[in-house]
Amino acid sequence: QVQLVESGGGLVQAGGSLRLSCAASGSIFNFNAMGWYRQAPGKQRELVAIITSAGSTTYADSVKGRFSISRDDAKNTMYLQMNSLKPEDTAVYYCRIITVNDYWGQGTQVTVSS
């Protein structure tokens, strides 16, 4: 069983930065991919960034050049560095890991004020 716990969300002014963390407990040795998703009020959950076990990354067009996904395998932790934040980045951010199963964290709120 894998548990994911996000942290690092909060309130920030437009143009600011935040770093989200997703700590995984349990066995994720054979994961396929890890990713960050977000869901704004009244909108569907969307992909923000994903990183494969090989280290390949993919970003939503809306965050390219501003967000960076990374992981620390020794700490079983994934990160999302978010720079140049915009009000439209306001959402609940979720981490996800895909192994033979699919696991989600509980989410962390990010609010960007204008």
Side-chain angles (χ1 to χ4, degrees), residues 64-92:
K64 281 181 182 176
R66 300 188 297 123
F67 290 12
S68 178
I69 188 172
S70 62
R71 69 177 200 261
D72 185 333
D73 292 341
K75 296 182 178 180
N76 274 4
T77 301
M78 176 177 63
Y79 304 98
L80 184 69
Q81 178 65 43
M82 306 186 294
N83 299 326
S84 302
L85 282 161
K86 304 176 181 180
E88 51 263 44
D89 295 318
T90 295
V92 177

Side-chain angles (χ1 to χ4, degrees), residues 25-112:
S25 62
S27 175
I28 60 168
F29 179 72
N30 289 323
F31 81 95
N32 296 318
M34 305 173 75
W36 288 96
Y37 293 73
R38 66 186 182 188
Q39 187 167 18
K43 295 188 177 181
Q44 291 188 331
R45 191 172 298 188
E46 63 176 1
L47 172 69
V48 176
I50 195 164
I51 183 166
T52 70
S53 58
S56 298
T57 57
T58 301
Y59 295 91
D61 288 342
S62 59
V63 307
K64 281 181 182 176
R66 300 188 297 123
F67 290 12
S68 178
I69 188 172
S70 62
R71 69 177 200 261
D72 185 333
D73 292 341
K75 296 182 178 180
N76 274 4
T77 301
M78 176 177 63
Y79 304 98
L80 184 69
Q81 178 65 43
M82 306 186 294
N83 299 326
S84 302
L85 282 161
K86 304 176 181 180
E88 51 263 44
D89 295 318
T90 295
V92 177
Y93 284 70
Y94 300 88
C95 65
R96 178 189 187 191
I97 182 168
I98 304 170
T99 61
V100 291
N101 296 306
D102 192 355
Y103 300 97
W104 290 84
Q106 83 289 349
T108 185
Q109 177 70 46
V110 171
T111 302
V112 184

